Amino acid sequence: MTRYLLGRLLGFAATLFFAALVIFVLLDLLPGDPARFILGINASDAAVAALRTQMGLDAPAHERFFAWLFGMMGGDFGVSQTQRVAVSTLMLERLSVTLPLAVIAMIVSVVVGLPIGILAARRRGKATDTVLMVLAQIGVAIPNFWFGMLLTLVFAVSLKWLPTGGFVPWHEDPGAALRGLVLPGLALALPQASILARVMRTALVDVTGQDFIRTARAKGLTLGEAVWRHGLRNAMLPVLTILGLQFAYLIAGTIIVENVFYLPGIGRLIFTAISERDLVLVRSATIILVLVVSATMLLTDLAYALVDPRLRGRSA
């Protein structure tokens, strides 16, 4: 297990390094001058040159890359060029919206998706199975922004149970903050729950055909007891992989839903930074997202190894 863990940690570090390199190079190659963009087209060349020096843009690319890299290792992600606020401060503020939103969506998708998948597998080939899988397919196909607008019309505009959008900071009113995340959380959870239901059903159907299930039934267990005691753990392997990917998607892919519900999350922050050409903010916010996603995948791998002991003896 130690060798497996070390291999995964090395892979995690290598992923972050190459992601940082790619992000830096791609953003550095973008046309246009951030200093000129900030000062405007009427600024003098001397003023632009002075701002470039102040921002460190006149240094060689490799020096700027390693300065950025070592700064991040020390917890310094730079200062936003447009907002003049530390990127880490901006990200922490926005994570207080995006992270709870992703957690709510993940909880809803697990609570809804896994039981549906288990029920469909138990009713395999019957009408219940067909209906549930058709509904799951529809859930995958429906865009989450459209479902979000539908939820808003029903629960916010017509019934007035929940707010239509916006966000009240947690320290001002935790209840209002939570209510503001319910509808976007449900909108994000629909496709995730549908995918989980389909994966869970397929995994359980595959497991029920395995020899160890037949052996368990030969010992006197019913199919339900055999699946519950021996099959569910094996069926969770592909589900864990999907869960890790889904959480990473929810963290990094909330930009559309955040704009639909006007939530001040990370997605809107990056969108605004790109439109204002705030390269420091875009660069550091992106690598923080890569860090969160990579850490999620690392935890998924470790959970995978805990469920499947065969992986512990393998090198990464």
Side-chain angles (χ1 to χ4, degrees):
M1 184 65 183
T2 303
R3 188 177 178 187
Y4 178 82
L5 178 61
L6 287 176
R8 285 292 175 265
L9 288 175
L10 286 175
F12 174 71
T15 299
L16 290 181
F17 176 80
F18 285 109
L21 182 61
V22 170
I23 291 169
F24 183 88
V25 170
L26 291 181
L27 289 178
D28 211 49
L29 290 176
L30 285 178
D33 188 341
R36 174 70 68 181
F37 185 86
I38 293 173
L39 294 178
I41 58 175
N42 294 323
S44 66
D45 291 340
V48 172
L51 184 57
R52 284 181 58 81
T53 302
Q54 180 184 346
M55 296 167 64
L57 296 176
D58 53 350
H62 67 280
E63 290 184 10
R64 288 186 283 119
F65 171 70
F66 283 108
W68 174 57
L69 192 64
F70 290 130
M72 287 192 299
M73 293 172 66
D76 180 11
F77 290 88
V79 177
S80 166
Q81 295 167 347
T82 56
Q83 304 189 43
R84 299 298 180 187
V85 178
V87 172
S88 56
T89 302
L90 291 173
M91 290 295 292
L92 284 176
E93 290 175 356
R94 302 308 178 98
L95 270 177
S96 68
V97 178
T98 299
L99 193 58
L101 175 61
V103 170
I104 289 173
M106 179 58 72
I107 292 174
V108 172
S109 64
V110 169
V111 170
V112 174
L114 293 188
I116 289 177
I118 294 172
L119 179 60
R122 292 289 306 275
R123 303 289 183 182
R124 179 186 179 190
K126 298 181 181 178
T128 305
D129 178 25
T130 303
V131 171
L132 290 177
M133 288 302 100
V134 169
L135 291 176
Q137 185 60 45
I138 294 174
V140 174
I142 292 178
N144 51 20
F145 70 88
W146 182 87
F147 187 57
M149 289 189 287
L150 181 65
L151 291 173
T152 302
L153 288 174
V154 175
F155 294 102
V157 177
S158 299
L159 299 176
K160 301 186 184 305
W161 289 353
L162 294 164
T164 55
F167 183 76
V168 179
W170 291 99
H171 64 274
E172 292 183 9
D173 190 341
L178 186 60
R179 286 196 298 275
L181 297 180
V182 171
L183 292 183
L186 291 176
L188 278 173
L190 174 68
Q192 314 305 323
S194 302
I195 294 171
L196 275 182
R198 294 182 65 85
V199 172
M200 190 74 234
R201 177 196 177 275
T202 302
L204 271 181
V205 168
D206 289 342
V207 164
T208 54
Q210 299 294 319
D211 290 339
F212 63 89
I213 294 293
R214 283 193 286 269
T215 302
R217 295 201 66 188
K219 292 180 178 178
L221 297 180
T222 65
L223 178 59
E225 291 172 337
V227 170
W228 179 256
R229 293 185 185 181
H230 306 288
L232 197 57
R233 180 169 178 167
N234 290 277
M236 285 302 294
L237 293 175
V239 174
L240 280 175
T241 303
I242 295 297
L243 282 174
L245 293 173
Q246 284 187 332
F247 191 73
Y249 165 79
L250 289 172
I251 290 291
T254 57
I255 183 169
I256 295 177
V257 170
E258 285 179 357
N259 278 283
V260 168
F261 288 93
Y262 205 69
L263 295 176
I266 290 179
R268 284 196 64 207
L269 177 68
I270 295 178
F271 180 80
T272 305
I274 292 173
S275 63
E276 296 176 346
R277 216 174 185 288
D278 191 340
L279 296 186
V280 173
L281 181 53
V282 174
R283 197 166 58 197
S284 297
T286 306
I287 196 63
I288 289 175
L289 286 180
V290 172
L291 173 65
V292 173
V293 170
S294 299
T296 304
M297 299 309 299
L298 175 65
L299 292 176
T300 303
D301 285 345
L302 296 181
Y304 211 110
L306 290 175
V307 174
D308 187 354
R310 293 171 299 179
L311 290 176
R312 302 173 199 171
R314 299 178 187 174
S315 60

